[in-house]
Amino acid sequence: MSIHDITLLRPLWLLLLPVLGGFGWWLWSRSGGFGEWDRAANPVLMRAMVALGRIDSSANRKPLIALLVAVAIFILALAGPAIERRDAQSFRNLDGVLFVVDASSSVTDNRRWPQMLTMGRFGVSALGARPGGIIVYAGDAYVATDMTTDHRQVGQTFSLINSQTIPDKGSRPERALALAGQLIREADVLAGDVVLFSDGAGLGPASLQEAAALAEAGARLSLVSLGDAAAGMETHASVGGGVVFTLEQTDALRDWLTSDARMRLEQADYPVLFWRDMGRYLLVLALFPLLLLFRRETA
C-alpha cells in the first residue's frame, strides 16, 4: 500500500491544521520557554537561574509540543484517511432483487409450475450478497418475504408457494409491481431488479405503467414466462429495462442477476467502492504524545 492508495473521506477537516499551526506558534512565542516567569521575575535572576541549570527551557516546551502533536493527529483522524476494500462483496442497499410470483390457479395448476419454482430457487442462489425478497399475487398482492440477505429463508418461502397461498381470485400483476416499487423505495435500493414469474395473464396498460415507474426508480423489470413469451411480456421487459426468460434459461437468469449487476451500477455512476476508515487507528496514536503530559519529572 502506498500513499496513492489513501483517500480522505472528510478532507475539509484539514483546514484546521493551519489554524492549529498559528495557535501553536502564538503559544510558543508567548510562553518564551518559561511559562510567564520570564515576564514576572527579575531578568538578571532568570539568566542566573538558567546559567546554574535550575531552569530547563526545553522541558517546559515538551507539554506544548505533545499537545499540538496530539491535536494534529486528531484532525487527521477526523479527515477520514481510508483505503479501498478490494475484498468487499456486498452492495449493501445499493442493489437488491425482488421476485414477484403469480400464484393464481392458472399458474399453480400448470404442469410446469414445479419447474418455475425450481427456476425461482435457482435465481435466489445467484444473489450472492444482494438482499432478496418475494411478493406473491393473484387477485391482490402480498409480501411473502421482506428484503433480506437470508437467502435460505427466501428459498424456503419459494418452495411453500402453492394454489392456497393467495385467497383472492384473479391475476393483478399491476398491484404486485406497485408493491415492489414501494418495497424498493423503503429499502433505499438505488438500482434493483424485479423478476416477474407469470404466464402473462393480467398484463396490460396498468402493469405497463408500473413497469415504467420501476424503471424510473432505477429498477429493472424482467419476466420469467411459464410458457412461450408473449408479445405483452416483451413489451413490459422493454419498458422496464429487462429481458424475458423462459424456464429453460436458468443460466441466463443467473448471469443477469450476477455479472450484470456490477456493470449496471457502474454505468449508472453509482460508486461501487467500499472504504475502510483508518481514522480510529490514528486516535490510538494520539494517545502516545498525550502520555507526555502526565509524565512525572524526577530530580
Side-chain angles (χ1 to χ4, degrees):
M1 184 186 69
S2 66
I3 191 171
H4 300 289
D5 298 322
I6 299 176
T7 297
L8 296 179
L9 302 179
R10 300 172 293 273
L12 290 180
W13 280 101
L14 295 182
L15 296 177
L16 291 179
L17 286 178
V19 177
L20 176 65
F23 182 66
W25 176 85
W26 177 76
L27 287 178
W28 185 282
S29 60
R30 187 170 181 267
S31 64
F34 307 112
E36 296 294 333
W37 283 105
D38 58 338
R39 301 185 184 186
N42 187 298
V44 177
L45 177 61
M46 291 297 296
R47 287 195 296 269
M49 295 288 287
V50 172
L52 293 173
R54 299 299 183 179
I55 297 179
D56 184 0
S57 60
S58 61
N60 284 283
R61 294 187 184 273
K62 288 180 181 178
L64 176 60
I65 295 174
L67 181 60
L68 292 176
V69 170
V71 174
I73 295 176
F74 274 119
I75 293 175
L76 290 175
L78 290 172
I83 58 175
E84 183 180 349
R85 291 181 54 193
R86 303 184 185 277
D87 59 337
Q89 299 179 348
S90 173
F91 288 117
R92 295 183 181 176
N93 281 341
L94 285 178
D95 202 0
V97 181
L98 275 175
F99 299 97
V100 180
V101 184
D102 186 349
S104 61
S105 58
S106 63
V107 177
T108 56
D109 292 342
N110 190 288
R111 62 180 180 82
R112 305 194 71 185
W113 168 245
Q115 189 176 351
M116 177 173 276
L117 290 181
T118 299
M119 189 166 184
R121 292 193 296 268
F122 196 91
V124 173
S125 66
L127 292 182
R130 304 166 72 190
I134 298 178
I135 292 175
V136 292
Y137 75 94
D140 206 347
Y142 304 91
V143 177
T145 303
D146 282 315
M147 297 286 284
T148 178
T149 54
D150 186 355
H151 300 153
R152 181 177 180 181
Q153 174 188 348
V154 179
Q156 289 175 343
T157 302
F158 241 116
S159 303
L160 297 175
I161 302 174
N162 55 40
S163 59
Q164 306 299 318
T165 301
I166 305 296
D168 310 281
K169 303 300 181 183
S171 185
R172 302 290 299 275
E174 71 277 6
R175 294 192 176 184
L177 295 179
L179 183 57
Q182 177 183 339
L183 289 182
I184 287 175
R185 289 190 298 271
E186 291 176 351
D188 293 328
V189 171
L190 296 179
D193 271 300
V194 176
V195 183
L196 176 63
F197 293 77
S198 171
D199 61 351
L203 295 178
S207 57
L208 196 62
Q209 184 176 358
E210 295 297 338
L214 285 172
E216 185 177 354
R220 300 183 301 188
L221 174 63
S222 300
L223 296 93
V224 175
S225 176
L226 184 64
D228 296 331
M233 288 188 168
E234 296 289 352
T235 302
H236 279 69
S238 177
V239 171
V243 295
V244 178
F245 302 97
T246 63
L247 296 182
E248 290 75 25
Q249 294 179 297
T250 52
D251 290 338
L253 176 62
R254 178 198 60 199
D255 294 339
W256 180 257
L257 294 177
T258 53
S259 60
D260 286 353
R262 179 179 294 270
M263 183 182 304
R264 179 165 50 94
L265 287 171
E266 291 174 347
Q267 290 174 347
D269 293 330
Y270 295 129
V272 193
L273 296 175
F274 295 84
W275 301 93
R276 179 180 287 112
D277 193 338
M278 308 300 291
R280 70 192 72 178
Y281 304 110
L282 286 180
L283 293 177
V284 176
L285 293 178
L287 296 177
F288 291 98
L290 288 178
L291 290 177
L292 295 177
L293 300 178
F294 300 95
R295 180 170 173 264
R296 183 176 179 179
E297 298 290 344
T298 58

